[in-house]
Amino acid sequence: MKNVFRNITVLLLLIFISGIALITSGIIDISFNDIAINSVVFALISTVTLIIFFKGQTKEPMSQMFHSLAAVSSKLLLEMGFALMWFIVIKKTELKLVLLFFVLYLAFTLFSVFIILKTLRNKSLENKI
């Protein structure tokens, strides 16, 4: 589990470094604050999701299934709430900000899904042996 949180930190640092590189080179015209806010919020949502998921992996099988469902559902609800706040309340609706939002959403979602699938694959192999 420590390895997962280290990977989240590395992913967050890579996003910050690439954001700074793209902004300073003039390739994109997005403020670093927008990149930082999106990245930190998605990292927090991914962390909460993985904490709920890993807490469930220490329980009996029915509880594991419930925790997995709760983790994915909480991720969906938290990201929908953030999207609502980002697009409607703060009114960040420019095309470049919408693309930034969905690129970061996709990056953190794929990261979470890969971690969950890897854990489930290893868990099922341990149970068969």
Side-chain angles (χ1 to χ4, degrees), residues 12-24:
L12 199 56
L13 285 174
L14 286 174
I15 289 172
F16 284 158
I17 291 169
S18 61
I20 290 171
L22 290 172
I23 290 170
T24 56

Side-chain angles (χ1 to χ4, degrees), residues 57-59 64 118-128:
Q57 293 304 304
T58 60
K59 312 280 184 194
Q64 288 178 5
K118 182 180 176 186
T119 303
L120 289 175
R121 184 181 61 211
N122 292 340
K123 184 83 168 172
S124 66
L125 290 176
E126 290 173 4
N127 290 337
K128 290 180 182 179

Side-chain angles (χ1 to χ4, degrees), residues 2-14:
K2 289 181 183 178
N3 193 19
V4 172
F5 297 123
R6 187 172 3 138
N7 288 340
I8 288 176
T9 306
V10 169
L11 180 63
L12 199 56
L13 285 174
L14 286 174

